[in-house]
Amino acid sequence: MSHLADDKAKLLGRVRRLRGQMEAIERAVDGEKDCGEILHLVASVRGAIAGLTNELLDAHLQHHVLDVDDEEARRRGVEDLSSVLRSYLK
């Protein structure tokens, strides 16, 4: 994952925003807010997770599939991605 070091601050920013969004959901549920408000908060988390996932998928494809000369390493990169996609799409 050393290739992620270049984008570490950006990725951590996304993760921290997600944490804040999850805490907002917790506060809303604990405070017995309107279900519509909670659904909007959940939808925003889903969008943020999708954005983080897309960024990580792009980085994985670039650094573990496209830019790899070693066929065995490329195969492992594809297998890793395939496994993640199977889990993600369940």
Side-chain angles (χ1 to χ4, degrees):
M1 283 206 334
S2 62
H3 61 86
L4 294 179
D6 295 338
D7 294 326
K8 183 177 178 178
K10 184 175 164 186
L11 291 171
L12 286 174
R14 283 182 177 269
V15 170
R16 289 177 181 130
R17 280 190 298 282
L18 276 163
R19 182 184 314 128
Q21 290 174 309
M22 291 300 299
E23 289 168 352
I25 292 171
E26 182 179 9
R27 286 189 304 273
V29 170
D30 190 44
E32 299 181 12
K33 298 290 183 181
D34 179 68
C35 63
E37 182 179 338
I38 296 170
L39 285 169
H40 280 284
L41 291 169
V42 170
S44 69
V45 168
R46 184 172 188 232
I49 290 274
L52 177 61
T53 302
N54 288 337
E55 197 163 322
L56 291 169
L57 285 172
D58 286 346
H60 181 84
L61 279 171
Q62 191 66 47
H63 296 280
H64 297 284
V65 179
L66 296 174
D67 291 345
V68 177
D69 293 328
D70 179 345
E71 285 295 320
E72 179 61 23
R74 179 179 291 135
R75 184 189 61 74
R76 283 192 310 271
V78 169
E79 286 177 358
D80 287 344
L81 180 59
S82 180
S83 174
V84 166
L85 289 174
R86 277 193 300 276
S87 295
Y88 186 74
L89 296 173
K90 276 187 179 181

